[in-house]
Amino acid sequence: MSGYTMEPATPMEIGPRVLPPSDRWSPALAVPAPVCRFENFLGAERAAALLEYAIAREEDFTAGTVLDPLTGQVSRKGRDSLVLPVTSEVFSAHLADCLPLVQEVLGHRAPLEQSLTVLTAHGEGGHFGIHTDASRVRDVSRALSAVYYLHRTPRGFGGGQLRLYDTVVDEGRARPGESYRTIEPEHDTIAFFPSGAFHEVVPSTCPSGRFSDHRFTLTTWISGGEAAAVPQARRPDSRRPGVWRWLAEAAEGTRPLHDAERDHDGARPVALPPPGPDTRLGPGGMRP
């Protein structure tokens, strides 16, 4: 039993004289980026085989790069990771089967026809500063990014979380906010989010220094086909839901002034297959 006397609370009104005066009221809107995450995405056997493949290709990885939005120059500024462009019919099929549900969860309605994919590895000090994926896709207002995680068990690395930042809309302008949600790099999980969302990979540690103990991902950018590559398609569509429009407006400032002819990490687009007749995941329910 509580030692305090219970008494009814008396409602009080806070008068305007109590609060400091203000000439104008202009709150900033912080919009969380939608995210959709799946566990056991490929299943234990396929995930283990993919991890061993990544480890075996150690000599084929190269330093990851970024594309400067002002000059269009390729550099390693703000990024420390290794990359290997890849394609996989099995991985693409899993993506295609899950996309109907992903789009329903994220409120995304645009057609998705192709993807770019790279294997990445983060070791000691590996990181990727705050950025969007506007340089990876033609129309950032309609594209999705996906990060699939792989690692040995128990983990040989620390850190490496994905931070997905809120978008702040202030006086009609959109920018990355200070608030964010954190996604842990759990083995055989995948996270989907708008390509226009600001995000970063926080620094990782790898005490052993062994490549097999790195943080591995399949990072994928999913978008429409080349028909979307008209100048008007690059402009945020005012008819899109607010969160997608604001994310795209914020991301446009990170797009290079001149479109790159190819992906700066060497990835090439591949067509997504149609969902299978027995779709693993769909709008109507979960895994059969």
Side-chain angles (χ1 to χ4, degrees), residues 64-140:
T65 59
V66 297
L67 199 58
D68 190 292
L70 295 178
T71 66
Q73 297 297 311
V74 174
S75 72
R76 299 176 188 173
K77 184 179 179 181
R79 183 180 188 185
D80 184 352
S81 63
L82 300 173
V83 300
L84 175 64
V86 294
T87 60
S88 168
E89 292 183 3
V90 172
F91 187 70
S92 293
H94 278 249
L95 289 176
D97 286 349
C98 288
L99 282 177
L101 181 56
V102 170
Q103 290 185 279
E104 180 174 317
V105 171
L106 299 185
H108 184 272
R109 296 293 179 263
L112 297 172
E113 303 172 12
Q114 66 180 30
S115 64
L116 291 170
T117 303
V118 296
L119 261 171
T120 73
H122 287 72
E124 183 67 31
H127 67 279
F128 199 156
I130 300 176
H131 65 286
T132 78
D133 293 333
S135 66
R136 302 283 191 172
V137 295
R138 293 286 187 173
D139 182 1
V140 72

